[in-house]
Amino acid sequence: GLSDIPVGRAALGLLRAGGAVVPFVLFALTRAGRKTFARWRVTRHLAEISAIAWNILTSRRAGGSIAAMSIVIHLMTVLTAWFAAKAIGSPLGFVQSMLLLPPVVLIAAVPISIAGWGVRSGAMITAFSYAVLPDSNGFANYVLFRAGAFPTAPVSGLACMPRPRSEAP
């Protein structure tokens, strides 16, 4: 598997470390570093964005809603990949899907390709091989997984469109 290759082991370690450290760095920036970063013109916008994000995420109503939606979205992603695996007869289990899909989505978010294509397929194939599943299952699962995104993309886009604010009486 991937952990047998030194570069793969290093990449997985870096991914784990980044996934663990980045949220703390962002929260530290919003709390402690906000005043320092607001002094410099280059980082002033980052400080403003982090202050807004901190206020939204720590509010009970918005923060709870965002957390709940995030969990639901990740579960739907995992379920979609698991259903795609079942459709092709892959032995991918639900728990394996829960463990393998979040890193695939995280890797696909790295902005080195157009919409994650290529990176995501490579990550999915690698994840399947890491779980000792056939590479062909990983690629077929990836194709079904992405094909399922096409019909849902317009619905998602409509849900994200801004709505006109209603004026208070």
Side-chain angles (χ1 to χ4, degrees), residues 59-140:
S59 75
R60 285 182 183 242
R61 183 175 175 203
S65 297
I66 290 169
M69 284 188 285
S70 296
I71 291 168
V72 166
I73 288 168
H74 282 294
L75 285 174
M76 288 172 55
T77 301
V78 167
L79 276 171
T80 303
W82 185 62
F83 287 145
K86 292 297 144 200
I88 62 169
S90 174
L92 179 72
F94 182 74
V95 173
Q96 285 177 315
S97 184
M98 288 282 291
L99 295 173
L100 296 175
L101 261 294
V104 168
V105 172
L106 180 63
I107 291 168
V110 176
I112 57 174
S113 68
I114 297 172
W117 286 92
V119 175
R120 193 179 293 125
S121 62
M124 186 80 83
I125 291 167
T126 303
F128 267 65
S129 67
Y130 186 65
V132 194
L133 297 168
D135 291 349
S136 60
N137 281 1
F139 183 72

Side-chain angles (χ1 to χ4, degrees), residues 27 30 47-59 66:
F27 282 121
T30 59
E48 291 171 6
I49 290 168
S50 63
I52 292 167
W54 180 261
N55 290 334
I56 291 170
L57 292 174
T58 57
S59 75
I66 290 169

